[in-house]
Amino acid sequence: MIILGSGCAGNTAAIYTARASLNPLVVIGHEPGGQLSITTEVENFPGFPEGVMGPDLVANMQKQAEKFGAEYMFGKVQEADLSRSPFRLNIDDEWHECQALIVATGASARWLGLPNEQKLIGHGVSSCATCDGAFYRDRNIMVVGGGDSAMEEANFLTRFGREVTLVHRREEFRASKIMLDRTLANPKIKMLTNTVVEDIFDVTQNMVTGVKLRNTVTGKVWDQDVDGFFLAIGHVPNTQPFGGQLDLDPDGYIVSHGGARTNITGVFHAGDVQDRVYRQAITAAGAGCMAAIEVERFLEAHGH
Ligand code: NAP
């Protein structure tokens, strides 16, 4: 069996299937350790009253799976043929076969695509307010986005920041009314609508010091001082190799066919690649466990 993804979901599936002697091969993917690997302290994973560092938590999960015999390989799926069993996966130009597959490839944060944005990730640019907000106590914070995540993050960040500026590219918001109303009522949040970010400074200092903004209606361009820059413009599920085979919703998330099942018998989902609602380390771990149990039953029922 093969598990795609090395975040909480993939690692938990690996612990369970390895312990059941199913010899799982885990394909690490392009973001080793998943989203936990880019967080700092995790305070809400049960069992760690003092908190635990995200990268440590996920590394320990891998160690635990390896103890039971799980194998890990670096690589990314280029192509998949799920039309018949054994399923075939092209991983970095080498074909691998499996009777059972768990897709735990997660969802990656969407970025604006500005050249300086990528260079300043971890140095003032973040896609996770919960992870990095506490670094910006009494500082100027900017959040980009107009959906529920942007509202949630902007409100959350007012706990730390002196002022939070919410930048949205349109006049209308995608966020639900209740979340938007809460944001509008928060005296620490300033809204800039019809506004886009054109650049982020300052790469030479290796820290965020400000941004260049443009009003899309008036054309006005100006610079604004900012210490923390948070993106909340959605996530993209990592399902590209499975299009046309697995049932995906219009945004590309796997559609569940009950439990951890997909539309293809023998292919299971776990974690953020299917879950757009909860998206927590603990729910991903739980989903990995569900997928592993289903694989075990599936392989037994099919005489493997
Ligand atoms: P979302 O609803 O897809 O909103 C993404 C926002 O980012 C949109 O306002 C979009 O602008 C903007 N955006 C996308 N690409 C952009 C770009 N390149 N430049 C500038 N802006 C860009 O995503 P989300 O807010 O992460 O929410 C995802 C799902 O989770 C939703 O169903 C949401 O309701 C749910 N959620 C719920 C809660 C809650 O209820 N507590 C909290 C968080 C998330 P446009 O509007 O112009 O397209």
Side-chain angles (χ1 to χ4, degrees), residues 34-280:
Q35 297 204 51
L36 270 191
S37 65
I38 54 163
T39 65
T40 51
E41 195 165 14
V42 180
E43 293 181 318
N44 53 8
F45 199 92
F48 297 91
E50 309 302 331
V52 56
M53 295 304 284
D56 293 344
L57 179 59
V58 80
N60 277 336
M61 289 183 187
Q62 176 171 341
K63 222 184 273 174
Q64 196 173 346
E66 284 173 329
K67 188 179 90 178
F68 293 117
E71 258 181 64
Y72 283 71
M73 68 173 276
F74 285 100
K76 187 170 181 248
V77 176
Q78 313 291 336
E79 206 183 330
D81 177 7
L82 309 180
S83 59
R84 65 196 133 80
S85 182
F87 306 122
R88 297 177 70 238
L89 300 167
N90 179 336
I91 301 166
D92 292 347
D93 295 329
E94 206 176 279
W95 286 93
H96 294 254
E97 290 189 344
C98 60
Q99 264 85 33
L101 177 67
I102 295 178
V103 182
T105 46
S108 302
R110 186 178 281 137
W111 302 97
L112 290 172
L114 300 168
N116 286 346
E117 173 190 51
Q118 294 301 310
K119 293 179 190 150
L120 290 168
I121 291 174
H123 300 275
V125 172
S126 169
S127 64
C128 178
T130 337
C131 321
D132 299 326
F135 296 127
Y136 300 97
R137 268 177 219 283
D138 211 25
R139 313 295 288 274
N140 289 323
I141 298 175
M142 183 167 280
V143 177
V144 183
D148 282 335
S149 294
M151 304 303 133
E152 193 169 71
E153 303 220 334
N155 277 293
F156 174 76
L157 288 165
T158 59
R159 292 188 203 179
F160 310 105
R162 186 185 315 147
E163 182 182 81
V164 175
T165 307
L166 184 75
V167 173
H168 180 40
R169 64 183 176 184
R170 292 188 296 141
E171 188 64 39
E172 298 75 32
F173 287 89
R174 195 175 289 273
S176 54
K177 188 175 179 316
I178 183 167
M179 302 281 281
L180 178 60
D181 287 349
R182 196 175 298 156
T183 312
L184 291 169
N186 190 324
K188 281 176 92 176
I189 298 177
K190 196 175 132 206
M191 296 274 199
L192 288 177
T193 53
N194 296 319
T195 303
V196 292
V197 181
E198 301 233 297
D199 203 357
I200 309 172
F201 318 119
D202 180 10
V203 170
T204 55
Q205 294 185 58
N206 202 27
M207 64 190 276
V208 170
T209 58
V211 292
K212 185 181 286 302
L213 300 170
R214 179 170 56 87
N215 185 299
T216 56
V217 177
T218 64
K220 184 185 154 197
V221 176
W222 73 103
D223 292 350
Q224 184 165 323
D225 288 348
V226 164
D227 305 300
F229 184 81
F230 289 82
L231 273 309
I233 58 173
H235 284 77
V236 185
N238 298 313
T239 49
Q240 295 78 358
F242 311 111
Q245 303 183 76
L246 290 182
D247 274 358
L248 306 178
D249 75 10
D251 293 325
Y253 287 86
I254 294 178
V255 175
S256 180
H257 281 244
R261 291 184 290 280
T262 68
N263 58 306
I264 298 176
T265 309
V267 181
F268 302 89
H269 59 74
D272 288 11
V273 72
Q274 179 271 327
D275 170 21
R276 55 192 302 155
V277 179
Y278 303 105
R279 307 190 294 197
Q280 300 299 300

